Amino acid sequence: VKQKAEALDRFYNFARRLDAQEESIRDHKLNFYSRELGGEFHFIRFETRRMKNAMDLIRYNNLHLNICEMGATGGGAHKFAEIWERELGIRMDKQDELDSLVAGMQFVLSTVIGECYTFRPHKNVPQSNSSESSMSSKTEKQNRDHSSHHVGLKLEESMETDSEANEQASGSNLSDRDNIPSKTKVDEWWWSRKVQRDSISYSSSYPYLLVTIGTGVSVLRVDGPRKYERISGSTIGGGTYWGLMRLLTDVESFDDAMKLAEVGDPSKVDMMVGDIYGTNSDALDKLGLPSNVVASSFGKLVAKDDPAEGLTQEDLARALLLLVTNNIGQVAYLNAKLCHTSRIYFVGSFLRQNVISQRRLSYAIDFWSKGEMEALFLEHEGYFGALGAFLKSQHIENREDVFSQWEDIPHHGESYRPSWRHRKW
């Protein structure tokens, strides 16, 4: 008990110093208290390429003292295991990556109020597709029907709840960065109003789809607590976008790529349905498509003598982001239809600081499903693997709303065997 208290004191002293000096590596707004486990979770990130600096920081603050083993997942759990044990004396308890992702995500969904959100149309944006108006009567009703109560600390994020979404205009909730540039008329239908969704964690919510977008894309069907199957995927993911961006532009970081995409005009690059049929053609009604839907990504460049004429890096960044995002959304929608589920959770490093793709996925899933499905996103994105590795290394599971932890105890002089301890809240 004394050693645990000392370790906690060191960590909280370290966390306070981070708040004062190095706040950028600590996501303090994501902290939450878990009544089930009787403690508070803190979230700190380090870039893999700066692992040596992270280890030096841990050693300098004596965080490694009294810690013999630590749950870890991902490639780094294998790549850095030897040096961590040699230099810090901490053995990495390696956990399966997808197991950890699902475990961490389900724990947060069942614990943290305000975790889940989606995007809805801006109040001032004219409706351009019938599915947008049908969304309120279908998907939002589903969320009300499946509402549930969870314990945890509500996040410090200003957003609308399901009921508030029907009452508040979104203009006051949008920052300058959220405003749609007037020149990008093709984006006028984009959904920019962030709306909180109730988390769903009980048995009737299964199955749902979990789409993780990293270098590539993996699609999981989740059938219950820590029960999942990888059913599909795509080679066109974040690695595709970043690789082509480095080829087509001179940006050196993903954040810079996002800044370019924010102000780009994809209509200069993509061929729209209106470019083929005209903007007021009767054929559009027969097709059931608005004129500002993409018909061919990068298709407008085919007919130009000089494909690069009149284009900026910003335009290419936006069009390429749409290409990758639309493909991911199509793959997710088709798999959700096969699995007969209306809930699609999108996670992964590609979505970090990438609100453009989140909004696009929200629109695309609704468009293809005619309002029957909804794209969902999570505030703690990027930390589910680490959180799940911790839970699994501590043998903590959620069995029928009971958080259980098993430990090895001796039995009649035999070798250790697992025993379950139950705590219900």
Side-chain angles (χ1 to χ4, degrees), residues 143-411:
N143 278 276
R144 288 193 297 270
D145 292 342
H146 290 292
S147 62
S148 57
H149 298 284
H150 303 283
V151 295
L153 180 67
K154 186 165 184 176
L155 303 176
E156 298 175 3
E157 178 70 36
S158 176
M159 65 174 76
E160 298 177 15
T161 62
D162 289 352
S163 58
E164 289 170 338
N166 297 323
E167 300 173 0
Q168 296 180 359
S170 62
S172 61
N173 294 335
L174 297 174
S175 65
D176 292 338
R177 179 179 176 182
D178 292 324
N179 290 332
I180 302 172
S182 59
K183 70 172 186 176
T184 55
K185 299 298 184 183
V186 72
D187 287 350
E188 65 184 2
W189 73 82
W190 274 41
W191 292 10
S192 56
R193 183 163 52 96
K194 190 175 182 180
V195 179
Q196 180 181 313
R197 289 302 190 215
D198 291 330
S199 297
I200 305 170
S201 61
Y202 45 81
S203 59
S204 62
S205 69
Y206 300 107
Y208 60 76
L209 229 59
L210 175 57
V211 181
T212 173
I213 314 169
T215 305
V217 179
S218 289
V219 180
L220 311 179
R221 187 191 67 239
V222 182
D223 298 312
R226 302 193 188 180
K227 296 178 182 178
Y228 68 89
E229 179 184 354
R230 187 183 188 277
I231 59 172
S232 186
S234 174
T235 60
I236 302 175
T240 309
Y241 178 70
W242 181 227
L244 289 175
M245 277 296 293
R246 296 200 66 189
L247 183 65
L248 297 173
T249 69
D250 57 8
V251 294
E252 293 296 332
S253 72
F254 189 80
D255 288 342
D256 289 339
M258 289 297 102
K259 291 176 182 177
L260 289 181
E262 285 176 0
V263 295
D265 183 355
S267 66
K268 295 180 181 179
V269 182
D270 296 335
M271 181 176 291
M272 316 305 291
V273 171
D275 294 326
I276 301 174
Y277 293 95
T279 56
N280 298 310
S281 172
D282 293 338
L284 296 179
D285 293 332
K286 295 179 180 179
L287 289 171
L289 294 173
S291 62
N292 53 9
V293 166
V294 177
S296 175
S297 297
F298 282 70
K300 192 168 286 187
L301 307 186
V302 174
K304 296 178 64 175
D305 294 333
D306 180 5
E309 182 182 0
L311 296 182
T312 66
Q313 291 190 11
E314 290 84 351
D315 301 331
L316 293 172
R318 184 68 160 248
L320 183 58
L321 188 61
L322 286 183
L323 184 156
V324 172
T325 304
N326 284 339
N327 184 75
I328 294 170
Q330 181 81 72
V331 171
Y333 159 69
L334 292 174
N335 277 280
K337 191 170 184 178
L338 288 172
C339 294
H340 305 289
T341 180
S342 62
R343 287 176 295 279
I344 309 175
Y345 291 93
F346 291 91
V347 300
S349 57
F350 178 69
L351 296 177
R352 203 170 302 156
Q353 308 300 323
N354 182 3
V355 180
I356 294 175
S357 288
Q358 293 184 24
R359 293 173 178 172
R360 183 62 175 183
L361 287 169
S362 297
Y363 166 77
I365 295 300
D366 174 77
F367 177 84
W368 282 314
S369 70
K370 295 181 172 59
E372 296 288 347
M373 300 178 188
E374 190 169 46
L376 301 168
F377 309 94
L378 303 169
E379 296 289 355
H380 284 83
E381 205 302 300
Y383 290 107
F384 296 124
L387 179 57
F390 164 76
L391 295 172
K392 288 173 64 62
S393 68
Q394 298 298 309
H395 314 300
I396 297 169
E397 291 189 11
N398 185 352
R399 296 186 167 188
E400 299 179 353
D401 297 326
V402 179
F403 281 87
S404 304
Q405 181 178 27
W406 63 266
E407 59 184 356
D408 291 333
I409 59 174
H411 179 65

